Structures are given as C-alpha cells and as structure tokens.
C-alpha cells in the first residue's frame, strides 16, 4: 500500500462532479439548518410571548412532521412504531388542538366538551410526566439540519409545551 492510498481526501483531489455534489449537499444542510433554527426560535417565542396560542403552532407543525415521518416509516416497514406511547400522546394532543380549533373558529362542540377539564388534567399528566422525561432518558438531540432528529424532539417536547401553556 502506498502513502497515496492512505492519505485523507481533500477538496483539491475531487473531480468537478464530486465538487458540485459536495456544494449541493452543503447548501441543503445550510437551508435545513436555517429552517430548523428558525423553527426553534419561533417555538421559544410562541411559548414565552404568546402561550395561549402555542397550540395553533403545535397543530401546524404536526401537520408537517407527522406525514413526513409516516411516509418515511412506511417506506422502511416501520409503521407499528407509530403506535408507541410518545406518538399516541402526540396524537391525543393534536386531536385536542384540532377540536379546540373547530370550537373556536366554527362553534362546533363535540361530546367531549363536557369532559374538557378532566381531559386537560390527564393530558397534562401524560405530557409532563413520562413523555418529557423520555427526552432525557432517550437523549433526544436537537440537530437542526436533520429532519429525523427534529421530528423526534418535536414529538417529545411539543405536547409538553402545549399542556404547559394551557395550564
């Protein structure tokens, strides 16, 4: 084996197609990083400044993150992972947010309306107990340029923030 085979690759040794591919990859990561960072800044701003409206932000993000996660899991044959505890709690939080949206915007009340206080307490217990502790236990990381990490952080943190803001 020569020393040339063991040398680390450098930009100077790349071909033009490899350079273009590397630049495209870098631009995509920069764009995803910027979007992820802006999403986290907006989340923090909504939580601190407008906590009464955070559930709307949660609902909008859920409509983006969950279909992306579903199609990715469907492609790999992992659909049953979407029935895990954290997903179920996120579904319940999203359903409550959607019902609140329907009640506020269109005046539509469901049979669950009379149990609203009990449902809020149960949701608070689920979100502020095992779900938020799973962030620490499973070591969820905020990696702004990786949609999979951001979805995992969203699934574990956003229901907690919704219930915390509603309390």
């Amino acid at each position: 084996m020569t020393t040339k085979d063991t040398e680390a690759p450098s930009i100077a040794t790349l071909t033009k197609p490899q350079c273009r591919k590397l630049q495209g990859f870098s631009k995509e990561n920069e764009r995803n990083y910027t979007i992820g960072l802006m999403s986290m800044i907006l989340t923090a701003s909504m939580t601190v400044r407008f906590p009464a409206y955070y559930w709307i932000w949660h609902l909008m993000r859920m409509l983006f993150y969950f279909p992306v996660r579903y199609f990715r899991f469907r492609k790999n044959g992992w659909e049953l992972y979407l029935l895990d505890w954290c997903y179920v709690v996120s579904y319940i939080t999203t359903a409550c947010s959607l019902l609140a949206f329907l009640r506020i915007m269109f005046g539509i009340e469901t049979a669950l309306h009379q149990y609203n206080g009990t449902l809020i307490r149960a949701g608070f217990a689920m979100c502020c107990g095992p779900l938020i502790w799973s962030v620490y236990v499973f070591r969820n990381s905020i990696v702004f340029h990786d949609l999979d990490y951001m979805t995992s952080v969203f699934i574990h943190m956003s229901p907690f923030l919704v219930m915390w803001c509603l309390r």
Side-chain angles (χ1 to χ4, degrees):
M1 206 152 88
T2 65
T3 57
K4 186 174 184 179
D5 293 335
T6 60
E7 290 178 16
S10 69
I11 292 178
T13 61
L14 295 178
T15 63
K16 285 190 179 192
Q18 290 174 329
C19 284
R20 281 193 291 274
K21 186 176 180 181
L22 182 63
Q23 288 172 344
F25 183 72
S26 297
K27 287 180 183 179
E28 182 181 345
N29 273 347
E30 288 175 17
R31 185 190 73 230
N32 291 344
Y33 183 87
T34 303
I35 291 170
L37 184 63
M38 295 305 293
S39 174
M40 291 302 285
I41 289 171
L42 192 55
T43 297
S45 301
M46 287 289 294
T47 305
V48 173
R49 182 70 178 116
F50 305 107
Y53 301 106
Y54 181 78
W55 62 273
I56 297 170
W57 176 239
H58 169 76
L59 189 60
M60 290 184 342
R61 288 178 64 199
M62 182 68 108
L63 293 175
F64 171 74
Y65 282 126
F66 266 34
V68 170
R69 177 61 63 101
Y70 171 76
F71 288 118
R72 183 178 163 274
F73 276 25
R74 172 87 180 175
K75 183 175 141 185
N76 294 325
W78 300 340
E79 298 96 343
L80 292 179
Y81 285 117
L82 297 174
L83 297 176
D84 196 16
W85 173 254
C86 54
Y87 288 99
V88 171
V89 173
S90 294
Y91 299 147
I92 292 170
T93 308
T94 302
C96 290
S97 297
L98 188 60
L99 291 174
F101 178 76
L102 292 174
R103 187 172 57 247
I104 290 170
M105 295 303 291
F106 304 111
I108 299 172
E109 290 189 11
T110 64
L112 295 175
H113 181 67
Q114 63 188 9
Y115 303 109
N116 200 22
T118 306
L119 290 173
I120 294 285
R121 284 188 204 97
F124 188 84
M126 288 186 290
C127 294
C128 298
L131 192 63
I132 195 63
W133 273 101
S134 68
V135 172
Y136 175 73
V137 171
F138 297 129
R139 298 179 188 211
N140 290 117
S141 305
I142 297 175
V143 181
F144 293 122
H145 61 272
D146 192 340
L147 186 62
D148 199 36
Y149 279 104
M150 292 302 289
T151 304
S152 293
V153 169
F154 169 77
I155 287 168
H156 292 93
M157 292 284 296
S158 194
F160 162 74
L161 292 173
V162 168
M163 289 301 164
W164 190 260
C165 290
L166 286 180
R167 69 173 173 85

